[in-house]
Amino acid sequence: MIMTTALDMDLSIVVLAAGQGTRMKSQLPKVLHTIGGKPMLAHVVATAKTLGPKQIVVVYGYGGQTLKAAFSDEAITWVEQTTQQGTGDAVAKALPVLPENHRVIILYGDVPLISAQTLRRLLNATPKSAVGVLTVNLQSPFGLGRIVRDENGAVKRIVEERDANDIERQIHEVNTGIFVVEAKHLNRWLPQLNNKNKQGEYYLTDIVQLAVNDNVPIVTVHPSVEHEVLGVNDRLQQVEAERHYQRFIATAFLKEGVLICDPLRFDLRGTLQAESDVKIDVNVVLEGDIILRKGVQIGPNCVLINCEIGEGTIVLANSHLDGVKIGSGAIVGPFARLRPGTVLADKVHIGNFVEIKNSFIGNASKINHLSYIGDTTMGQDVNIGAGTITCNYDGANKYQTIIEDEVHIGSDSQLIAPVRIRKGATIGAGSTVNKDAPEYQLTLTQQLNQRSKSWERPKKTPVQDKE
Ligand code: UD1
Ligand code: MG
């Protein structure tokens, strides 16, 4: 005979997300507020997926359109709860989509840091027909449902703060809201719930008492760390959860050998792939998808959005890089601004107050000071003098600048696109170039120095005495 263990059973995961989130004081549905740049609900869904459920059901109340649009690539079964009549009512709304033979995990959309590891422990500890409750002992259990146990330590019921008596309020073990229970039990118990309590709500927690009445065992498990079950109801709790999350990520990277100089001043709002000997200094914000190859160093106060940075490249302090690909051995910054479509080949040097957009900069070329390079293709070994500007925009259209290998552009030059500076050309300082410059020649467009013996310096007009 083959025994069916609890782990073999098909799993449905129900995420409760119908609460309005009034305390966030925001137009956005609460579960779309982010932790680490990702909506809270996306964290919960990602964790849920690692448990291999047959389906993920989200019970929503507000902003259905916005929610569904934000999760259009996910296979989610959406269930609407039009009026929020309590957690028991919310789960009851999902009953029609829960197959009778499934086990069900109930999660909250506003408890984003719950780990797959803790949920797996809860699943493993709960026999097939039992009810598993994730509980936690809190110093300050205020506002939460208390776990009431009998003299043998068996769970009898869960009482909400507002319905609890003085003795029950002394209990420090609280309900996190996370349950494992068979769908067939839910089908039997949820219709029996009533709303005769202080909040006039259908409490999911009342299924515990119904389980006890039916001799169904109750198993409790604690999360690995307390912050896993931190619920986010306001901005303060959001930033607390954010710091826990960042600390967790930074610790994981430190263990992988990435030097994050201060894990308290590290912010990853997307994904990071970092190879060995990468160093990330303080106050760096990483957004989108970031790839840092071996030995990359990111200086303090840099912002990187969707960047791939090659081996040994150094990004110095206060640089802002968005949509950029950089080769190996390059130096960027301090105070560089690289905008989308910037590609730097190997050993390129970009200095302070240089802005580059939608341009390719060839091997070992240097743009070291105060320049704007836009819509440009630049060859190798080019030197761009301070204050050079590619004039790529005539107010209506954008034009390309091509700068071939070994070109030298003198300081304070303007290159009026479309224009091509041919191989080895030199542009004299202060030139305004609006025609293609020939190979290996000097192009000089500025007025040469003029002198005048008759010129006099202007003098201040004397102030007339008032009479
Ligand atoms: C609930 C638990 C409490 C537990 C606490 C943990 C009940 C009755 N109480 O209390 O024991 O200690 O969570 O945080 O279950 N939701 C809906 N529809 C509703 C009501 C709630 O989807 O009608 C969702 C909310 O969006 C939220 C979750 O369920 O994600 C919990 O709701 P909340 O109102 O915060 O429950 P609490 O009263 O805090
Ligand atoms: Mg709550």
Side-chain angles (χ1 to χ4, degrees), residues 177-191:
I178 292 172
F179 284 82
V180 178
V181 52
E182 278 187 283
K184 71 166 195 233
H185 287 325
L186 291 175
N187 277 324
R188 195 165 70 253
W189 294 331
L190 293 183

Side-chain angles (χ1 to χ4, degrees), residues 65-122:
Q65 297 278 29
T66 324
L67 275 173
K68 287 177 192 173
F71 289 87
S72 56
D73 328 338
E74 297 281 1
I76 289 174
T77 308
W78 297 94
V79 168
E80 190 175 13
Q81 185 197 26
T82 41
T83 47
Q84 277 65 65
Q85 301 183 72
T87 48
D89 176 64
V91 178
K93 290 287 182 290
L95 282 182
V97 302
L98 298 177
E100 175 87 0
N101 62 346
H102 274 209
R103 270 185 128 192
V104 181
I105 301 187
I106 295 157
L107 301 177
Y108 287 178
D110 57 2
V111 178
L113 304 184
I114 187 66
S115 75
Q117 187 201 11
T118 291
L119 294 176
R120 240 178 254 122
R121 273 199 297 113
L122 179 64

Side-chain angles (χ1 to χ4, degrees), residues 204-232:
L204 176 66
T205 45
D206 285 349
I207 65 168
V208 169
Q209 217 168 336
L210 296 170
V212 171
N213 294 346
D214 284 355
N215 289 319
V216 171
I218 314 283
V219 172
T220 58
V221 164
H222 295 325
S224 311
V225 283
E226 201 180 295
H227 68 248
E228 278 190 44
V229 295
L230 179 74
V232 173

Side-chain angles (χ1 to χ4, degrees), residues 389-462:
I389 292 170
T390 55
C391 309
N392 60 329
Y393 186 48
D394 63 6
N397 297 300
K398 302 266 168 74
Y399 300 95
Q400 291 286 322
T401 299
I402 295 167
I403 301 172
E404 298 184 0
D405 296 348
E406 294 155 45
V407 161
H408 183 105
I409 311 270
S411 301
D412 191 28
S413 294
Q414 300 93 54
L415 310 178
I416 301 180
V419 70
R420 177 186 283 263
I421 314 296
R422 293 188 190 276
K423 187 168 182 183
T426 299
I427 307 296
S431 294
T432 301
V433 182
N434 63 356
K435 289 198 197 79
D436 291 2
E439 283 189 6
Y440 298 108
Q441 286 183 29
L442 172 66
T443 297
L444 203 60
T445 73
Q446 82 274 38
Q447 269 196 329
L448 294 174
N449 294 358
Q450 292 183 5
R451 284 156 198 183
S452 165
K453 278 188 178 151
S454 58
W455 180 84
E456 277 180 39
R457 243 186 219 186
K459 292 189 183 65
K460 276 192 178 162
T461 337

Side-chain angles (χ1 to χ4, degrees), residues 23 108 110 144 233:
R23 280 181 281 160
Y108 287 178
D110 57 2
L144 295 163
N233 298 298

